[in-house]
Amino acid sequence: MALIHRTTLKPTKVELLAGWLPTRPWYRGSAAPELTKAGGFRLDDPEGEVGIEFMVVTEDSGAYLVPLTYRGAPLAGAEHALVGTMEHGVLGGRWVYDGCHDPVLTAGLLALIEGRVQAQAQSVSDTPDREVVRSYAGQGPVAGLGAPVDTDESTEFAVPDTGLVLRLRRVLTPGSTPPESTVGQVGGVWEQPDGSRAHALFATLQTP
């Protein structure tokens, strides 16, 4: 299980995202957003090397899902997916990536949908997050994913030789429901600006 350290981050995750989000095609807010960390969950890296977090941030334009990975060294070939670097008070320098381009995160997301791993609490060590719900009606594990492609509201991965698409929702809609073509899904909760809690689909595995 990943150990959550109570320490400083310079810059903070929200500060990094405030500069990165406006460069994304699915982001709908201002060029200088005031972001609030509003929820999310973690996954464990089986090798214990990479931090994996699915973070929800909010601002005036809505709620956004941002999958992130944290590494102790640069990920080869992923310069285009670098969100930024930070200094961790315990672990030292960390390279922060858009997790859609990190194979450790995408493998973990598939394992979560299929029920082979369990979501972990975002800020507490060794604690499952029971509010993250998932289902899978497929036959056996998905072998792999194609390259991620951003749209105006999601990031999508073709599943080779299956006709399936893994669609990661970037713009979150409270109370969203899966399409009939869905064979796997995962959803979660976050806190809205008015203090209420919302639930939405985070990702679906479906036919186009």
Side-chain angles (χ1 to χ4, degrees):
M1 297 291 181
L3 177 63
I4 307 300
H5 298 280
R6 304 295 180 184
T7 188
T8 57
L9 294 172
K10 296 182 181 180
T12 67
K13 299 173 187 179
V14 168
E15 288 170 342
L16 278 182
L17 290 177
W20 179 79
L21 271 181
T23 69
R24 302 300 93 191
W26 37 264
Y27 176 69
R28 303 174 179 180
S30 71
E34 295 185 7
L35 301 176
T36 299
K37 180 180 175 181
F41 63 95
R42 287 182 174 263
L43 295 176
D44 285 328
D45 171 16
E47 302 299 323
E49 295 293 329
V50 180
I52 306 171
E53 181 175 14
F54 290 77
M55 184 187 298
V56 179
V57 293
T58 59
E59 60 103 55
D60 289 345
S61 63
Y64 300 90
L65 178 65
V66 186
L68 298 170
T69 55
Y70 309 98
R71 289 176 168 267
L75 174 60
E79 295 82 2
H80 63 290
L82 183 68
V83 176
T85 58
M86 61 171 58
E87 188 70 21
H88 189 284
V90 175
L91 300 176
R94 304 295 279 172
W95 281 256
V96 184
Y97 290 93
D98 176 356
C100 288
H101 298 265
D102 193 319
V104 173
L105 183 142
T106 55
L109 177 57
L110 285 174
L112 174 64
I113 291 173
E114 294 165 2
R116 295 184 280 117
V117 303
Q118 189 167 28
Q120 300 295 310
Q122 191 172 27
S123 304
V124 184
S125 300
D126 195 17
T127 303
D129 188 335
R130 308 291 185 188
E131 293 187 311
V132 175
V133 295
R134 40 71 51 196
S135 66
Y136 182 59
Q139 302 297 317
V142 175
L145 299 172
V149 177
D150 285 331
T151 74
D152 60 359
E153 62 179 21
S154 64
T155 299
E156 300 181 359
F157 308 77
V159 182
D161 304 319
T162 67
L164 294 174
V165 172
L166 177 63
R167 180 168 290 122
L168 186 78
R169 306 294 181 93
R170 297 295 204 152
V171 181
L172 299 178
T173 304
S176 52
T177 57
E180 292 183 2
S181 60
T182 297
V183 297
Q185 61 181 303
V186 60
V189 300
W190 73 94
E191 185 172 292
Q192 300 190 98
D194 63 3
S196 63
R197 287 163 59 80
H199 181 279
L201 282 176
F202 284 177
T204 55
L205 182 64
Q206 62 186 87
T207 55

